[in-house]
Amino acid sequence: MLKAKTRIFIACLLITQFEVANAQESQQTSNTPKPVVFDTQQDRQHMLDQLGITKLRPGKSGNADDPNAANTDESKANPYPNPRTTPPASNVQPLPAVRKSQTKCESSVQRQ
């Protein structure tokens, strides 16, 4: 009987603590300011102000005579290096050394 009364008392105590915590939380949330809702332009300007950006760099122009014209000349583009003129990489391991290190790693993983 005593254990049941103790359990009921602890349950009532926890419930009242929970109610007090909720009441304090609701008072705190009522004091917070409401969130500001920006449209797209206002949000962009707000972010620029926060970052301290006053002027943006102009983008590439479609006019070939402009100083900031886009480069559309494919002869100037070089996505891949020329293998005949590029020096060989000195840090590349030969294939047998790579295989040996792979088997070492695999065996250490299998042991674990």
Side-chain angles (χ1 to χ4, degrees):
M1 185 74 173
L2 184 61
K3 286 185 179 180
K5 287 183 179 179
T6 306
R7 287 182 183 168
I8 292 172
F9 175 72
I10 290 174
C12 290
L13 186 63
L14 289 175
I15 290 172
T16 55
Q17 288 294 327
F18 181 72
E19 292 293 329
V20 169
N22 274 347
Q24 288 175 351
E25 186 177 309
S26 66
Q27 287 176 353
Q28 289 175 352
T29 56
S30 64
N31 294 337
T32 58
K34 298 203 185 242
V36 179
V37 179
F38 290 131
D39 65 1
T40 307
Q41 290 296 326
Q42 290 172 333
D43 184 43
R44 179 179 181 274
Q45 188 58 47
H46 182 67
M47 184 56 65
L48 291 175
D49 293 342
Q50 287 179 346
L51 296 172
I53 299 173
T54 57
K55 184 178 179 185
L56 295 176
R57 185 174 57 183
K60 297 294 181 186
S61 171
N63 188 359
D65 297 332
D66 286 348
N68 62 340
N71 180 15
T72 57
D73 188 5
E74 291 184 18
S75 65
K76 292 182 183 178
N78 186 16
Y80 304 107
N82 186 350
R84 286 179 265 162
T85 60
T86 306
S90 60
N91 61 352
V92 176
Q93 297 178 354
L95 189 58
V98 172
R99 296 277 188 234
K100 186 177 178 181
S101 66
Q102 283 178 346
T103 54
K104 273 186 186 178
C105 291
E106 288 172 357
S107 63
S108 67
V109 168
Q110 288 173 354
R111 278 185 267 140
Q112 294 175 356

